[in-house]
Amino acid sequence: MLNTYFRVIVGFMVLLSVVLTVYVNPNWMWFTVFIGVNLIQSAFTKWCLLETILVKLGVKKEGGSCKSC
């Protein structure tokens, strides 16, 4: 379940940042860069802030986590 929430939230944030970049200000592309860097960082450190937040909100870890993304 955690993996599903993670993918939906990250996908939404990427799409949102692209829309904001096109219609508001090109500097919103840095938000997309931030998301990408965090995904790469979590692959090496096995720690993900979004996962920590979702677990504290009560999302079950069954079915994987963003550590395996």
Side-chain angles (χ1 to χ4, degrees):
M1 191 57 133
L2 184 63
N3 196 25
T4 303
Y5 278 100
F6 175 79
R7 289 174 189 264
V8 168
I9 292 169
V10 172
F12 176 77
M13 289 192 308
V14 169
L15 291 175
L16 177 65
S17 68
V18 171
V19 168
L20 290 170
T21 298
V22 171
Y23 294 108
V24 178
N25 188 319
N27 284 325
W28 278 102
M29 188 56 69
W30 289 108
F31 185 49
T32 308
V33 171
F34 172 75
I35 295 166
V37 168
N38 276 314
L39 287 170
I40 294 168
Q41 171 273 138
S42 69
F44 291 106
T45 64
K46 306 295 187 231
W47 179 80
C48 177
L49 178 61
L50 180 57
E51 179 183 14
T52 304
I53 292 169
L54 290 173
V55 168
K56 286 188 179 192
L57 289 174
V59 177
K60 302 280 189 231
K61 274 195 170 190
E62 63 190 51
S65 69
C66 67
K67 292 178 185 176
S68 63
C69 294

